[in-house]
Every structure is written in structure tokens, then in C-alpha cells.
Amino acid sequence: MRHANTDPELMELVRRFVTPGRRYLRLGGSAHRLSGPERVAFMKELVQAASEITPTELGILFEGGWRERKTASWLVVVAGRTEFRSRIGELLLASGGPYAGAAYCVTLATFGDNADADLLCRYLDHYLPRTDLHYDQGFALGALLHLDAVLGTKRASRYLAPGGLWHQWTEGPPRRDWDPYGSQQVVEQLCSFARECTALFAVLETGR
């Protein structure tokens, strides 16, 4: 992992793309709650950043901490850079730090392909048996439920079946009260915000 406080190259990218307007904190749940001029302004700033950053620079951000990785994942989905799909899947499975996992799930859910569902299933197969770990299992299942609705598949059903991995994980120990359909709703809201940004990105790129 690269650290911005000791890596001038990464620090410059953080200054340009991660910290303006505390962007890394506004991405996610708080983003879809924005409305009016504030929402439009934030979307334009995010789209402009996604347009300016290069694939090499995104790769460097993905080597940083959770703030850098979370921001990079959002910039990837806004620009529709599906070439980063496997990298995001690797980071999700590695679960090398907090806070970025939800962004990975939203990116895969917004990409909306069977390959994205495969990566979410790989994560769930690995982490749902670990009842001692509370990572991004709920968000990943919500993303998979969203993809099932989009693709007309039923991949989430085997996890949600009575006695399935989801029920084993929620029963614990420790016991967890988690509604996967509530997570699906949050994922859908974030995907909708991401798609709005992607549409705005396409307009910007067309006008260049």
C-alpha cells in the first residue's frame, strides 16, 4: 500500500481528486441525498474529475488507502471504465481496509454485467461462512439482488434459502439484524446517482 504522507506522487493525486470539497466523504450515502443546485454542482465536479484523471493515475489511487480507493472506484464507475472490473473485484475480495467496500459493490452493480455478479458471488462465498467477520457482506448481497433484478437472474436465492449462507452469517455468533432488501434499495439509489453522473460524463466527452 502506498501512503500519501510519504509518497509525493500519491499526495498530488489526493490533492487533485480525493480531498477537494471533502469529496471522499460525500461519495456514497450522502451523495444520493443531495438535492437542487448542490446536487448538480457536486455531480459536475465529480464528472470533471472522472474526465481529467488518467487510467495510470487511477491505478495509483487504487494502491493508496481507503479514501483514495473509494474515490477511485467512484471515478471509475462515472467514466464507465469497465477495464478496472477485475481490479475492483480483487480489492473487494481482499478487504484490505474499511469504508471502500461499499463503493466497490456499487461500481460492480452499476456496471451491471454477469461478470460483476460473478465477483460479488466470489466475495459472498468467501466471507459469509466467516461469521466472526462483519465486513461488506450485507452490501454485497444487496448489490447482487440488484443485479438479479437487472439481469433477470436468481443468483442471490441460494444465499437467502433457509439454512443458506446468509442465514448462517446473520445467526452468528454474533447474531446480526440485517435486511438484504434494505441494502438492495440503498444500492439502487446509489446506482441511480452513478448513472446520472455517467450520462453527464457522456455529454461532456461528446462535446470535447
Side-chain angles (χ1 to χ4, degrees):
M1 179 183 292
R2 297 170 67 161
H3 301 278
N5 58 347
T6 58
D7 188 325
E9 184 179 35
L10 180 57
M11 174 59 78
E12 176 61 18
L13 293 178
V14 167
R15 184 192 67 79
R16 291 172 57 199
F17 298 109
V18 179
T19 56
R22 297 172 67 84
R23 180 178 293 147
Y24 69 93
L25 287 177
R26 302 177 75 189
L27 292 169
S30 60
H32 78 81
R33 290 192 291 270
L34 296 174
S35 61
E38 186 180 15
R39 179 185 179 89
V40 173
F42 182 67
M43 288 175 60
K44 287 182 177 179
E45 292 169 7
L46 186 60
V47 165
Q48 186 64 41
S51 178
E52 292 175 0
I53 196 167
T54 68
T56 299
E57 290 169 338
L58 282 167
I60 293 170
L61 285 184
F62 277 127
E63 294 175 4
W66 70 266
R67 296 170 182 83
E68 294 93 317
R69 294 179 181 187
K70 177 183 178 181
T71 305
S73 190
W74 271 94
L75 295 176
V76 161
V77 74
V78 168
R81 295 183 182 273
T82 55
E83 66 269 24
F84 282 94
R85 173 185 283 122
S86 61
R87 177 66 173 138
I88 289 170
E90 291 169 0
L91 290 169
L92 177 63
L93 186 63
S95 290
Y99 308 122
Y104 304 150
C105 292
V106 170
T107 299
L108 296 175
T110 306
F111 282 166
D113 202 336
N114 281 302
D116 305 295
D118 289 342
L119 293 172
L120 290 167
C121 287
R122 185 174 67 169
Y123 176 86
L124 291 167
D125 288 339
H126 185 79
Y127 283 106
L128 282 180
R130 294 294 306 273
T131 60
D132 58 317
L133 299 179
H134 189 167
Y135 288 171
D136 296 292
Q137 291 94 327
F139 218 86
L141 185 57
L144 186 61
L145 283 165
H146 170 74
L147 283 176
D148 275 346
V150 171
L151 299 170
T153 53
K154 296 182 179 180
R155 292 186 183 223
S157 60
R158 68 183 176 93
Y159 301 107
L160 292 168
L165 285 175
W166 175 257
H167 292 284
Q168 294 175 35
W169 183 72
T170 53
E171 288 297 318
R175 185 178 175 84
R176 300 176 177 88
D177 183 19
W178 194 296
D179 176 16
Y181 299 100
S183 296
Q184 179 187 3
Q185 185 177 23
V186 173
V187 169
E188 288 173 347
Q189 291 169 342
L190 292 172
C191 286
S192 177
F193 176 80
R195 285 192 295 269
E196 286 185 62
C197 292
T198 299
L200 189 59
F201 178 87
V203 172
L204 177 64
E205 293 297 292
T206 301
R208 285 184 181 275

